[in-house]
Amino acid sequence: MKLIIVVPCYNEEAVLTETTSRLSSVITRLKAEGQITEGQILYVNDGSQDSTWSLIEQLSEKNALVSGISLAHNVGHQHALWAGLEWAAEHGDATVSIDADLQDDVEAIIEMVKLYRGGIDVVFGVRRERQTDTWFKRTTAQAFYRLMQSMGSNVVYNHADFRLMSRRALQALMTFPERNLFLRGMVASLGFNTATVYYDRAERFAGESKYPLRKMLGFALDGITSFSVRPLQYITFLGLACMIISLAAIIYGIVMYFQGRVIAGWTSEMVSIWFIGGAILLACGIIGEYVGKIYTEVKRRPRYFVDKVVGEVISKK
Ligand code: UDP
Ligand code: MG
């Protein structure tokens, strides 16, 4: 049984050496225990501006377990991961995806492989607590999962992109044609036999987070709009509620008129104009999000371009 570990990397020169040694030792241990016969680390360089790629080349020269794909430009975490998974779907029996920064516990891979050997197709790595994240990241992330669930997406709580997938689960995932990728939601919707492995999330080993607030918000918005049309329904309800309220206001206005008690009413008018105006713009914005999604989907552009590859295994192909 061949295990492939896919690691997307964007400006990760500070961590890659350590990541390689930890992942290598996991592979070596799994082999020694007879859990796997072959193991491979596949780095996907997502258009880094630092020395990430030359480091991957060096690591691959020294360590036969390491191979790499370098993408022609930065396509973002989800697409970079997809690039690696596409290759892994053909060449591995089981594939683990993990971030480069060692926040996810590499030891959990051993547990994942055992579950896989027991017949599980998808093993979700779920972080036990978020003590090492900042208060801000913790609260926003929790709000995000709640929101996702209320919008009808079956994402696994506190699961990011640390998971094991069997070949057939991965090949099923590869049949998803969409360009707006939200992998954790897509994988959760696959079905198959699933299991969960809990681990403690560490701090980033080195370097800085590649997900600033702006990207995080964008990712959250993408997650919702690529999975659910419920926000559009909410807009309809909002419109309906406004109409009912305005009906009451009209009746009230007419009654007041006939009672001869018409007052200036400037304040209430201003307030409602601004409020309704804002609500309309928000509604347009949400609909625009979906129109934008349709636009990128119909263009059917390629997800990524491969610039270079390195490593014995991958070059043989
Ligand atoms: N990443 C990537 N392309 C990007 C941004 C990030 O491949 O455009 C990778 C990054 O190298 C890391 C993973 O995605 O392996 C998760 O990023 P990070 O750890 O910075 O996110 P955080 O854990 O802070 O949410
Ligand atoms: Mg991280």
Side-chain angles (χ1 to χ4, degrees), residues 30-88:
L30 282 168
K31 271 192 205 160
E33 287 174 17
Q35 302 277 358
I36 61 172
T37 49
E38 234 188 298
Q40 192 70 35
I41 304 167
L42 177 63
Y43 288 119
V44 182
N45 172 37
D46 185 15
S48 302
Q49 281 113 26
D50 65 358
S51 63
T52 296
W53 179 244
S54 55
L55 190 59
I56 292 171
E57 285 180 323
Q58 283 167 30
L59 289 165
S60 156
E61 220 161 83
K62 280 185 275 177
N63 186 339
L65 297 177
V66 176
S67 44
I69 301 176
S70 187
L71 303 182
H73 66 133
N74 180 259
V75 292
H77 178 207
Q78 299 287 290
H79 288 264
L81 185 52
W82 185 279
L85 292 179
E86 217 160 39
W87 189 82

Side-chain angles (χ1 to χ4, degrees), residues 245-259 261 263:
I245 294 168
S246 70
L247 212 65
I250 288 166
I251 293 168
Y252 174 77
I254 292 172
V255 170
M256 285 297 135
Y257 179 79
F258 282 114
Q259 287 182 353
R261 289 202 288 167
I263 34 152

Side-chain angles (χ1 to χ4, degrees), residues 12 99-104 133 137 201-205 208-211:
E12 298 286 10
D99 287 351
D101 59 5
L102 295 170
Q103 281 191 283
D104 305 316
D133 279 342
K137 179 127 190 173
R201 190 154 161 96
E203 253 166 276
R204 203 173 220 290
F205 179 72
E208 274 169 17
S209 171
K210 276 47 177 196
Y211 269 99

Side-chain angles (χ1 to χ4, degrees), residues 155-308:
V155 283
V156 177
Y157 190 68
N158 268 352
H159 162 69
D161 282 300
F162 181 32
R163 71 180 82 86
L164 177 144
M165 295 182 78
S166 69
R167 181 195 291 250
R168 65 173 185 153
L170 198 50
Q171 284 180 344
L173 181 70
M174 292 298 127
T175 63
F176 282 48
E178 65 240 56
R179 287 335 189 228
N180 293 289
L181 294 182
F182 186 66
L183 288 170
R184 62 191 79 170
M186 291 157 74
V187 174
S189 71
L190 282 178
F192 294 112
N193 303 321
T194 62
T196 305
V197 167
Y198 291 93
Y199 66 97
D200 292 316
R201 190 154 161 96
E203 253 166 276
R204 203 173 220 290
F205 179 72
E208 274 169 17
S209 171
K210 276 47 177 196
Y211 269 99
L213 181 63
R214 188 178 50 80
K215 269 200 202 171
M216 248 164 63
L217 285 176
F219 189 57
L221 199 64
D222 265 358
I224 294 163
T225 52
S226 59
F227 255 85
S228 166
V229 291
R230 223 169 271 181
L232 292 177
Q233 293 167 349
Y234 291 162
I235 291 173
T236 316
F237 291 138
L238 195 70
L240 212 65
C242 280
M243 270 179 60
I244 292 166
I245 294 168
S246 70
L247 212 65
I250 288 166
I251 293 168
Y252 174 77
I254 292 172
V255 170
M256 285 297 135
Y257 179 79
F258 282 114
Q259 287 182 353
R261 289 202 288 167
V262 232
I263 34 152
W266 185 81
T267 319
S268 60
E269 202 166 293
M270 272 333 242
V271 168
S272 51
I273 286 172
W274 280 94
F275 179 77
I276 302 285
I280 291 171
L281 284 179
L282 178 68
C284 288
I286 294 177
I287 294 165
E289 277 294 319
Y290 286 96
V291 175
K293 285 248 146 58
I294 297 167
Y295 179 62
T296 46
E297 292 299 343
V298 295
K299 276 197 292 188
R300 303 264 108 214
R301 291 220 172 148
R303 292 190 172 94
Y304 60 88
F305 295 113
V306 174
D307 182 20
K308 290 174 224 148

Side-chain angles (χ1 to χ4, degrees), residues 3 25-36 109-110 113:
L3 175 74
S25 84
V26 166
I27 289 176
T28 316
R29 247 165 65 202
L30 282 168
K31 271 192 205 160
E33 287 174 17
Q35 302 277 358
I36 61 172
I109 295 175
I110 293 174
V113 169

